[in-house]
Amino acid sequence: MIKRLFMNQSIRAKIVWSTVLISLVPLLVLSYLFYQNSTRSLEQAMVRSSDQNAEYLSDYLDEYFRSFSTSALQVYGFKRVIDLMEYGTNYNDADIIDVRESLASYYRLAVSNNADIIKIMVYGSDHTLRDSWTRADSYNAIALDRRMPHYGDVAELPFQHSLMFTYQDPAIKQDLFVYALPIYDPFYRKKFGTLLFYVLGKDFTKKVETYNREPNVIVLQNGQGETFYRTNDNYKAEIKPYRLPDELNDSNEHTLQFTEGQKLLVSSSPLDHANIGLNIVYPSTELAHNRQMTLRITLGALVLVMLVIAAFSLLAQQFITRPIQYLGKAMKAVRKGNFDVTLPKNRWQDDLSELTGSFNFMTRTIQELIEKEYKMQLRNKEAQFMALQMQINPHFLYNTLQTIGGKAVLAGDYEIHEMCRALGDMFRYSFYEGNMESTIGAELAHLNNYLYIQQFRFEESLTTRFDVQSELMDARIIRFVLQPILENIMVHALGKTRRSVVRIEVFALREDDHIRMSISDDGPGMEPDKLEALRAALAHPASKVFSGVSIGLRNVHERIRLFYGTPYGLEIDSRPGQGTTVSLTIPYRQGETEDV
């Protein structure tokens, strides 16, 4: 057989057969590796796509369910409602009107957080109904009785544990979703009562399935392992009962894994402080189809390559094959990660010499790009690490201010609460990591918070006045250009003047396609020589960002010029004993910004 196919053939046939036989084994190996890598890539692509979808869906549903818990926990801001839950209602009490107003305010707040709520029921510590709210009179027939699932469980929920379930209400003949959350004293763990929120089943289904795609299946389970929502009845055996963790937490990290046989991809994640288990099932039917297509393409490519090799081997000559062999070895080295390989130049000016030169140029370019990309990634990682370190303490301060404000409200000291709120809003505005542009309205709100806090320091020694056209509130402006100007006034006008009252005015006006804003005070003003030095400092760019006189004003001026161009910036006018006016000019731009 070998003698007929190889030994007794011509040189051309020997070249063809030897080339085919020699190429067959590596091509089979490469085809197998290609098929394995392709199928693995398809699996990884499916996993990446499913992982992104699962992460988005879990965040979306977690936010939806937390709207209920947020609405429930906001009851702590209404002391009369808490007292009603703990002690009940005394209709002879003169404060009954205030209790009703507090209930109405709380209901409005809860519904504003979740517009799907149709009924709210407030139960006391003795498990009796204190009050309720319904969107329409037809929902008044909904009641918590023994015909309702989990009738006994609702009243016995532990601290921080919630319960949700679905059922068909016999009174209104409609499917309902129920979310129950107990209200406890957060310090002494004393139970005040329980809040129940009702949502129509069709609205709940629409909300859950908003971003789901067929044939994916969403399964939601409560803390008792009971499934209270399922897209359909498929893949029941693949979903394990959900179990509450030993300690409830806010983490909603999800896990993603294939089932046996890799027919299904299942994502699992906790929601709503780990009170809900979310499972998303991704069938891999498309993956199986793509595997078959990949196998067919691989086999077809293998046959085609073998035919091409056989055809070209007939035309192969030594002066052609040898450079190609060199090139093949070099490309194999590149594939293994060795980009320092170079090919010797051919003395003939043919296509192979051009190919050799292009290959050498390619390897040099790739090597340079890899080194450049590595250095860039290293710098980015260092910058991200430093940015993360800089965010830890400010965000801790912001969260601490929120806690202090909440305790002040519980203690009845609303002045401290307002101070914490103003300072917290300033922190949040300062730490926002989105668009570097904001609106004049948001910038003025930040300025107002700053003035509100300063008012407690200077009391009646400081008066302010804002005169800004309403149409400019939505105009865009870069962040933090007004506060440094105001801080200068606080230092130089209020810190040095002996006057009993200093008046600060903020003015904004549109002039054609520009906006001109000014902040003026009637403080001691500046001497002419000092004013001229400051104007000269603003006229020439600084060699360093934080250097020279009037750091705050200079940096604001340079930021405006860098962002909007040289025609814009700051102007300063001051007279001794008559005050100082700082004006800034920016282009008029109106549009949406990602603001806080």
Side-chain angles (χ1 to χ4, degrees):
M1 184 70 178
I2 298 178
K3 188 175 181 179
R4 289 182 56 189
L5 294 178
F6 188 79
M7 299 301 298
N8 295 330
Q9 300 297 323
S10 62
I11 297 298
R12 177 169 293 185
K14 290 180 179 179
I15 294 176
V16 172
W17 281 112
S18 60
T19 305
V20 170
L21 293 175
I22 293 173
S23 304
L24 182 59
V25 174
L27 282 175
L28 286 174
V29 174
L30 289 175
S31 299
Y32 173 77
L33 295 176
F34 171 77
Y35 174 76
Q36 292 294 327
N37 290 333
S38 297
T39 54
R40 191 179 298 111
S41 298
L42 291 173
E43 291 177 1
Q44 292 174 351
M46 180 181 177
V47 170
R48 286 194 299 269
S49 176
S50 302
D51 185 69
Q52 293 175 356
N53 179 261
E55 182 178 5
Y56 182 84
L57 278 178
S58 63
D59 291 343
Y60 166 75
L61 292 177
D62 185 63
E63 181 179 358
Y64 176 71
F65 286 112
R66 289 198 183 195
S67 67
F68 291 101
S69 60
T70 300
S71 298
L73 296 177
Q74 284 174 334
V75 76
Y76 288 108
F78 298 86
K79 187 178 184 303
R80 291 188 177 91
V81 180
I82 295 293
D83 293 340
L84 172 67
M85 297 174 69
E86 186 176 8
Y87 305 110
T89 305
N90 183 4
Y91 290 94
N92 296 323
D93 192 346
D95 293 333
I96 188 64
I97 296 178
D98 295 333
V99 174
R100 291 298 177 192
E101 290 180 355
S102 295
L103 284 168
S105 298
Y106 170 67
Y107 292 149
R108 286 194 298 269
L109 182 61
V111 174
S112 67
N113 289 333
N114 193 322
D116 293 336
I117 297 175
I118 63 169
K119 186 178 182 70
I120 303 175
M121 301 178 73
V122 182
Y123 279 83
S125 57
D126 56 355
H127 311 319
T128 59
L129 181 63
R130 303 295 195 212
D131 195 77
S132 66
W133 170 90
T134 57
R135 186 178 297 277
D137 293 338
S138 59
Y139 302 132
N140 288 330
I142 301 173
L144 179 63
D145 52 29
R146 297 187 182 280
R147 297 176 298 174
M148 179 178 177
H150 300 285
Y151 169 77
D153 297 336
V154 169
E156 302 298 332
L157 289 174
F159 177 67
Q160 291 186 339
H161 286 68
S162 58
L163 179 64
M164 56 296 301
F165 54 92
T166 55
Y167 78 105
Q168 186 179 53
D169 191 89
I172 64 174
K173 306 298 182 183
Q174 294 192 54
D175 292 331
L176 296 178
F177 166 74
V178 183
Y179 186 99
L181 184 71
I183 303 301
Y184 281 78
D185 186 321
F187 302 103
Y188 303 102
R189 304 293 174 86
K190 177 183 177 183
K191 187 174 182 180
F192 295 140
T194 306
L195 291 173
L196 275 75
F197 300 90
Y198 290 79
V199 176
L200 289 177
K202 59 180 181 180
D203 293 335
F204 177 72
T205 300
K206 182 179 179 181
K207 184 67 69 173
V208 173
E209 296 290 340
T210 298
Y211 298 104
N212 190 32
R213 298 176 298 176
E214 292 185 353
N216 301 340
V217 177
I218 294 179
V219 179
L220 294 171
Q221 298 176 323
N222 56 28
Q224 300 180 0
E226 177 189 42
T227 299
F228 64 90
Y229 179 81
R230 178 186 291 271
T231 302
N232 52 55
D233 292 331
N234 297 334
Y235 318 117
K236 279 189 174 182
E238 305 294 339
I239 304 301
K240 299 180 181 179
Y242 178 67
R243 294 184 179 180
L244 288 174
D246 296 335
E247 293 183 3
L248 300 183
N249 55 71
D250 292 336
S251 174
N252 64 336
E253 295 182 356
H254 63 276
T255 59
L256 197 66
Q257 60 184 3
F258 279 100
T259 59
E260 294 183 2
Q262 295 188 330
K263 294 181 179 179
L264 298 174
L265 188 60
V266 181
S267 170
S268 302
S269 59
L271 305 178
D272 191 35
H273 310 286
N275 279 293
I276 300 175
L278 167 66
N279 290 284
I280 309 175
V281 182
Y282 300 92
S284 57
T285 53
E286 184 177 354
L287 179 61
H289 175 72
N290 289 334
R291 284 175 176 169
Q292 293 179 357
M293 290 297 298
T294 303
L295 180 59
R296 295 173 184 172
I297 293 174
T298 303
L299 293 176
L302 176 62
V303 173
L304 179 61
V305 170
M306 293 299 298
L307 293 176
V308 171
I309 290 175
F312 275 94
S313 62
L314 294 173
L315 305 175
Q317 300 294 331
Q318 186 176 2
F319 70 93
I320 296 177
T321 56
R322 183 174 297 173
I324 293 177
Q325 290 174 353
Y326 291 156
L327 182 60
K329 292 180 181 179
M331 293 183 69
K332 186 181 295 184
V334 170
R335 187 172 58 190
K336 293 181 179 179
N338 182 13
F339 294 96
D340 293 328
V341 61
T342 56
L343 291 175
K345 292 185 178 180
N346 197 336
R347 63 173 180 265
W348 296 287
Q349 298 298 322
D350 56 3
D351 294 339
L352 290 176
S353 62
E354 289 291 332
L355 185 61
T356 300
S358 299
F359 177 83
N360 293 334
F361 175 79
M362 179 190 69
T363 54
R364 289 195 303 271
T365 304
I366 292 176
Q367 183 69 19
E368 294 173 358
L369 289 175
I370 289 176
E371 294 177 357
K372 183 178 179 181
E373 181 68 16
Y374 174 78
K375 294 178 181 178
M376 184 178 297
Q377 290 180 359
L378 185 61
R379 288 195 297 269
N380 289 340
K381 289 294 182 182
E382 294 174 349
Q384 292 173 3
F385 178 74
M386 294 182 64
L388 182 60
Q389 284 185 320
M390 295 174 65
Q391 292 174 6
I392 292 176
N393 288 337
H395 281 293
F396 171 75
L397 292 176
Y398 173 72
N399 294 333
T400 304
L401 284 173
Q402 284 188 321
T403 303
I404 295 173
K407 289 185 176 292
V409 170
L410 293 177
D413 195 337
Y414 293 95
E415 189 172 78
I416 294 179
H417 168 70
E418 286 301 312
M419 290 182 66
C420 292
R421 178 203 59 75
L423 187 55
D425 288 346
M426 291 181 65
F427 274 124
R428 182 170 60 182
Y429 187 79
S430 301
F431 306 148
Y432 178 68
E433 301 173 4
N435 198 332
M436 68 180 297
E437 273 192 304
S438 181
T439 63
I440 290 180
E443 188 75 0
L444 291 176
H446 178 70
L447 198 66
N448 191 56
N449 286 327
Y450 176 80
L451 286 171
Y452 179 81
I453 296 173
Q454 292 292 345
Q455 198 77 43
F456 284 94
R457 174 187 174 188
F458 296 102
E459 297 180 347
E460 297 180 357
S461 298
L462 173 64
T463 62
T464 59
R465 176 176 174 267
F466 287 78
D467 186 6
V468 180
Q469 297 175 344
S470 58
E471 64 175 357
L472 300 180
M473 289 300 183
D474 293 330
R476 297 193 297 182
I477 187 173
I478 58 175
R479 295 172 178 270
F480 308 114
V481 295
L482 299 182
Q483 182 182 337
I485 300 174
L486 198 60
E487 288 177 350
N488 255 21
I489 294 177
M490 294 297 173
V491 173
H492 298 288
L494 282 169
K496 298 180 179 180
T497 183
R498 295 183 179 179
R499 298 181 55 181
S500 58
V501 178
V502 172
R503 181 179 179 84
I504 298 176
E505 295 185 355
V506 181
F507 176 82
L509 178 66
R510 178 181 176 184
E511 299 177 351
D512 297 329
D513 57 346
H514 299 80
I515 297 176
R516 187 171 184 85
M517 302 185 67
S518 63
I519 300 179
S520 60
D521 66 85
D522 57 355
M526 288 188 292
E527 297 297 330
D529 55 344
K530 186 176 181 180
L531 177 62
E532 289 301 322
L534 182 56
R535 287 175 175 173
L538 295 180
H540 303 284
S543 59
K544 296 182 180 180
V545 176
F546 299 101
S547 64
V549 67
S550 298
I551 293 173
L553 296 180
R554 190 169 196 173
N555 287 342
V556 169
H557 180 68
E558 292 186 5
R559 285 180 60 215
I560 293 175
R561 290 170 67 92
L562 287 173
F563 194 85
Y564 296 116
T566 54
Y568 306 100
L570 295 184
E571 297 179 3
I572 302 176
D573 188 20
S574 180
R575 295 181 181 179
Q578 298 184 17
T580 302
T581 299
V582 179
S583 303
L584 62 91
T585 305
I586 60 173
Y588 177 75
R589 297 179 181 175
Q590 193 168 10
E592 296 183 354
T593 59
E594 298 178 2
D595 208 15
V596 292

